[in-house]
Amino acid sequence: MKVNEGRDPTTAFRELADVLKGRLDTETYQRIALSVLVLKWASDNPGQLTVPAKASWEHISNNMAFAPGDTLNSALWALADENNQVLGPPGYLPDFTKGPTTSELQKLVGLTTQISLAEHELDASGSEKWQGLVEHLLPLPGKTQFALRTPRSVIDLMVRLVQPKNDQSFYDPFMGSGGMLIAAKEYVSEKIGKPATLTLVGQEMNAGAFTIAQLNLLLHGITDAKLYRDDSLAHPRHIDSDGQLRHFDHVLTNPPFSLKYRDRELDFPGRMEYGWGPEKNADLMNVQHVLASLKTEGTGAVVSPHGVLFRGGSEQEIRRRMVLDDRIAGVIGIGPNVFYGTGIPACILVLNGKSRDPSNQPQGIFFINAEREITTGRSQNHLDPRHIEKIADTFLRKRTLAGFSRWVPLAEIAKNDFTLNIRRYVDTNPRPAPMPDPKAILQGGVPAEIIQAESDRFLAYGISIATLFEPRDDEYWDFPASGYEAVLARIPALTSSAEHDFGVRAAGWWRRTAERLTELSGEGAILVNRDQFKSSFHSALSESGILDEYQLYGAFADWWDGKRGALKRLGLGRSSRSETQELLDELGDNLLALLNDLVAAGRQELINLYRSWGEQYAVSLHELDVRRHAGASRLEKRLRQLGYPSPFRQ
């Protein structure tokens, strides 16, 4: 059996999943598959863990003919025993002799043998270490299974909202498969261009999820995280030397919704300084646990059901006290069917430590209603990079966008009895369409006011309003004598010059950027410079006005994140000159095609708008009446010619 043939990990992960899924329950096969990968990873990355002889991959692969379950058990338990600070006691690990068959284990090991898990080889191939591993290897649990993970897109958004920095501490009290901890380290590592130094602490009550988190972190090269298995709400384990709760720079978490709890069973009851909610629902207790775990200048983010924003009784009082104490910095509504295992929409609460000085700015909360910032899928909706870019940028810059975001002062929240219902403050429902102008309907013409309101959109595409209409007076303009349908047919030709100029600008930016990427090749600094590339992209293309600010930022985000592997390969500088050029061509073609699609979509919107005006205003009631009378006269004349009496006279 050949070792380390270096197959594409993504394809291999899918094949690994196919070996076991369907027959074994989700948790069992997840733990088994990840454990096999950890054994391989330990051998492929010498120095990361202590690997005893019986845990080496060579020993494992050479002893698969007989009793493969015993061989794998012996290897995994030996590895755990030598690295108990990382893998914990063997009792949490899976038993390979229970569940999978001999042939399944042999096939699993055979497939894994073909994958090189050495970090330098993964980097060289452009794979993002193990970002997306859970999505590829571990299919979504059924509704009866425990929820292992938060969608990676939501995790990436939450990390961006709190902006972690190197050497900071990071805690997830409901860590599931460990995605929050992994994403935090990857985010900071990319920002600084080298492996980040973060203090990572996690806790998880479910034994299966806890084991998967251990294994998942190892596969991402994280060997120094401190993980605890226990109920975080009842028995938090992050305790300092004085026996007090430890505090962190950042706390990010997605607790299970609507769990029951008993206040008399909770350690450190002082955490609940804002009050006790109903024991049938621990949602706001979990939020208070996050608040109690933050440093005075820390920031946190927690996923919660919308009910925490408006439920009454004791929960309303908890909410009131948290708001008055300035502990809630933001409330962000996420669209429906984004989170695994539930179709209901959820929200992200962005939380403050206790250090904010209210004298620096008025007290209030920043609301974002992002329920429409989703891409609809067949069974699951998801956030794309462009959605994350818009939400995070808007929050960090505290920008007010109509129907999307606004900062709400404390007085307004208090006036609404401290409800934080997002739609109360930011309603995404479109404004009702204005009623048709009665005079225009009766006498013809298009109101100049609605034309002028859209003139900049047409002008960005090189179309003067004078090309579309003929002024009648200050209040109403007429369609050209040729008719609005004739103008509609000409719009693509009218926009071609502006679209060409935009394409030239985009190609020019790409040409300069490709040169810069070539200069950075081999320095490992390409991903570090993301914000600089984004800024220059916006500067180069915003002046045309064809795409607005967030269309440009969104296009850049979709392109950059979608081509991160190619960008990483360029940054490593291990490709030949021809391979480098192929990568650059791939990147450029993809970006320009994406922009071309957006420009074409904008042109179609103008066509649709002009058509709607034509359908509404091109023929007045007066003209229809004239046409009706003319038609009646012709009919009457023809009937007389045929010897019939007029149908219009008594």
Side-chain angles (χ1 to χ4, degrees):
M1 187 180 296
K2 293 179 67 177
V3 177
N4 288 356
E5 292 184 4
R7 295 186 60 212
D8 171 52
T10 298
T11 302
F13 293 158
R14 292 193 180 103
E15 292 184 18
L16 286 170
D18 289 340
V19 174
L20 300 175
K21 73 178 182 181
R23 196 181 65 77
L24 300 180
D25 69 88
T26 302
E27 180 187 337
T28 298
Y29 107 71
Q30 288 170 342
R31 295 170 73 187
I32 286 173
L34 282 173
S35 296
V36 170
L37 286 174
V38 164
L39 286 165
K40 181 65 158 57
W41 177 87
S43 289
D44 284 359
N45 294 277
Q48 293 276 20
L49 298 177
T50 301
V51 183
K54 65 173 63 176
S56 73
W57 194 254
E58 182 178 9
H59 174 82
I60 293 169
S61 59
N62 288 337
N63 287 274
M64 279 291 102
F66 303 101
D70 292 333
T71 297
L72 287 166
N73 277 346
S74 176
L76 187 61
W77 296 345
L79 188 71
D81 188 56
E82 289 288 340
N83 303 274
N84 55 37
Q85 293 300 312
V86 178
L87 279 168
Y92 292 159
L93 300 174
D95 186 343
F96 290 98
T97 64
K98 296 180 179 178
T101 65
T102 295
S103 61
E104 285 173 340
L105 290 177
Q106 289 170 338
K107 186 174 181 180
L108 198 63
V109 169
L111 283 170
T112 306
T113 297
Q114 300 174 39
I115 311 170
S116 173
L117 304 186
E119 291 192 17
H120 68 276
E121 291 189 28
L122 287 170
D123 285 343
S125 70
S127 300
E128 297 189 62
K129 289 189 178 177
W130 302 95
Q131 183 170 334
L133 167 64
V134 178
E135 282 73 13
H136 293 311
L137 180 58
L138 309 181
L140 185 65
K143 292 183 178 180
T144 58
Q145 300 287 336
F146 60 85
L148 281 180
R149 55 190 173 102
T150 304
R152 179 59 193 246
S153 59
V154 176
I155 293 174
D156 288 343
L157 171 60
M158 294 173 71
V159 172
R160 285 194 61 180
L161 291 172
V162 303
Q163 299 279 285
K165 297 178 176 59
N166 203 33
D167 296 322
Q168 290 187 328
S169 54
F170 198 99
Y171 170 52
D172 182 352
F174 304 93
M175 67 180 177
S177 62
M180 298 278 187
L181 303 178
I182 293 166
K185 185 160 187 177
E186 288 180 347
Y187 174 87
V188 177
S189 297
E190 184 173 308
K191 284 288 185 183
I192 65 177
K194 61 182 180 180
T197 303
L198 289 179
T199 300
L200 300 177
V201 178
Q203 188 164 329
E204 173 58 46
M205 177 173 61
N206 185 284
F210 177 81
T211 302
I212 289 172
Q214 288 181 304
L215 302 172
N216 199 14
L217 264 66
L218 274 179
L219 289 174
H220 285 78
I222 299 174
T223 61
D224 55 354
K226 188 64 176 176
L227 307 181
Y228 301 97
R229 181 178 172 260
D230 212 331
D231 181 343
S232 293
L233 187 59
H235 309 296
R237 298 282 300 277
H238 54 289
I239 313 300
D240 63 23
S241 58
D242 296 327
Q244 301 300 311
L245 282 182
R246 189 175 174 186
H247 298 96
F248 301 89
D249 294 298
H250 304 288
V251 181
L252 293 193
T253 195
N254 179 11
F257 291 176
S258 304
L259 289 180
K260 295 180 180 180
Y261 78 102
R262 294 187 178 184
D263 56 15
R264 60 184 177 274
E265 295 178 358
L266 267 59
D267 298 338
F268 302 97
R271 290 175 290 160
M272 308 305 158
E273 62 176 305
Y274 299 109
W276 297 91
E279 291 195 341
K280 65 181 180 181
N281 195 316
D283 292 335
L284 281 175
M285 304 300 99
N286 292 328
V287 173
Q288 291 191 79
H289 174 68
V290 172
L291 290 172
S293 301
L294 286 172
K295 291 182 178 180
T296 56
E297 297 182 354
T299 55
V302 57
V303 177
S304 296
H306 275 264
V308 304
L309 305 177
F310 55 78
R311 288 194 292 252
S314 58
E315 290 182 287
Q316 181 182 20
E317 176 61 15
I318 294 171
R319 209 166 46 242
R320 182 187 73 84
R321 296 179 67 182
M322 289 194 298
V323 171
L324 289 176
D325 208 15
D326 201 27
R327 303 303 301 277
I328 302 177
V331 178
I332 300 170
I334 303 299
N337 203 29
V338 169
F339 292 88
Y340 301 129
T342 177
I344 65 172
C347 65
I348 297 172
L349 302 181
V350 185
L351 306 174
N352 292 321
K354 285 194 168 184
S355 69
R356 198 185 85 85
D357 183 358
S359 65
N360 291 336
Q361 69 179 66
Q363 193 171 338
I365 296 174
F366 195 79
F367 286 83
I368 294 179
N369 192 338
E371 62 185 27
R372 294 186 177 180
E373 292 295 316
I374 55 174
T375 295
T376 304
R378 282 180 118 182
S379 59
Q380 192 83 31
N381 299 335
H382 56 275
L383 300 176
D384 285 337
R386 65 180 180 274
H387 304 131
I388 297 171
E389 188 72 34
K390 182 177 180 180
I391 297 168
D393 184 83
T394 301
F395 178 80
L396 294 172
R397 295 165 64 185
K398 301 298 186 288
R399 299 191 64 188
T400 296
L401 300 176
F404 185 71
S405 63
R406 65 181 283 246
W407 182 83
V408 179
L410 174 61
E412 183 177 346
I413 296 170
K415 185 178 179 180
N416 287 308
D417 294 326
F418 293 91
T419 181
L420 302 182
N421 192 330
I422 301 169
R423 287 196 174 187
R424 177 71 61 89
Y425 306 106
V426 183
D427 191 354
T428 61
N429 290 327
R431 294 180 180 179
M435 294 295 293
D437 185 282
K439 188 175 179 180
I441 293 295
L442 289 171
Q443 300 181 6
V446 183
E449 182 181 5
I450 70 169
I451 296 171
Q452 291 162 354
E454 303 290 352
S455 62
D456 286 346
R457 291 177 62 189
F458 284 95
L459 196 58
Y461 275 81
I463 302 178
S464 168
I465 292 299
T467 308
L468 305 176
F469 298 96
E470 295 177 356
R472 178 197 299 177
D473 52 41
D474 291 341
E475 295 185 10
Y476 297 93
W477 291 21
D478 291 321
F479 291 103
S482 60
Y484 80 90
E485 294 95 341
V487 177
L488 277 174
R490 293 173 53 214
I491 285 181
L494 294 172
T495 65
S496 61
S497 178
E499 291 184 34
H500 173 76
D501 290 345
F502 181 87
V504 170
R505 287 173 181 263
W509 179 84
W510 172 245
R511 185 174 58 256
R512 296 188 297 275
T513 300
E515 292 172 356
R516 181 60 178 149
L517 290 173
T518 302
E519 292 172 1
L520 293 172
S521 178
E523 298 181 11
I526 287 179
L527 297 183
V528 176
N529 285 284
R530 179 188 188 275
D531 290 344
Q532 287 79 1
F533 286 122
K534 183 182 80 169
S535 178
S536 69
F537 178 79
H538 179 265
S539 297
L541 301 179
S542 60
E543 188 177 341
S544 73
I546 284 183
L547 300 180
D548 66 29
E549 180 177 19
Y550 281 114
Q551 284 178 307
L552 289 172
Y553 284 155
F556 180 88
D558 279 351
W559 170 71
W560 184 275
D561 284 36
K563 292 298 179 182
R564 190 184 298 267
L567 291 164
K568 178 177 282 189
R569 290 199 294 277
L570 281 175
L572 291 169
R574 295 172 183 165
S575 303
S576 67
R577 179 171 297 187
S578 62
E579 290 171 334
T580 298
Q581 189 57 52
E582 286 180 7
L583 286 173
L584 291 172
D585 290 343
E586 173 191 340
L587 288 164
D589 291 346
N590 181 264
L591 175 64
L592 297 179
L594 190 157
L595 290 173
N596 185 64
D597 289 345
L598 287 174
V599 170
R603 181 208 316 133
Q604 188 60 48
E605 288 179 3
L606 297 181
I607 291 173
N608 294 342
L609 177 60
Y610 191 74
R611 178 182 289 112
S612 71
W613 289 340
E615 291 171 349
Q616 189 169 36
Y617 293 112
V619 182
S620 68
L621 288 178
H622 173 73
E623 186 176 351
L624 287 174
D625 193 48
V626 170
R627 292 180 184 179
R628 183 179 67 81
H629 281 292
S633 297
R634 288 194 298 272
L635 176 60
E636 185 177 22
K637 181 179 179 180
R638 181 59 177 157
L639 288 172
R640 283 201 307 268
Q641 291 173 345
L642 296 172
Y644 292 100
S646 170
F648 305 110
R649 297 178 183 178
Q650 297 297 328

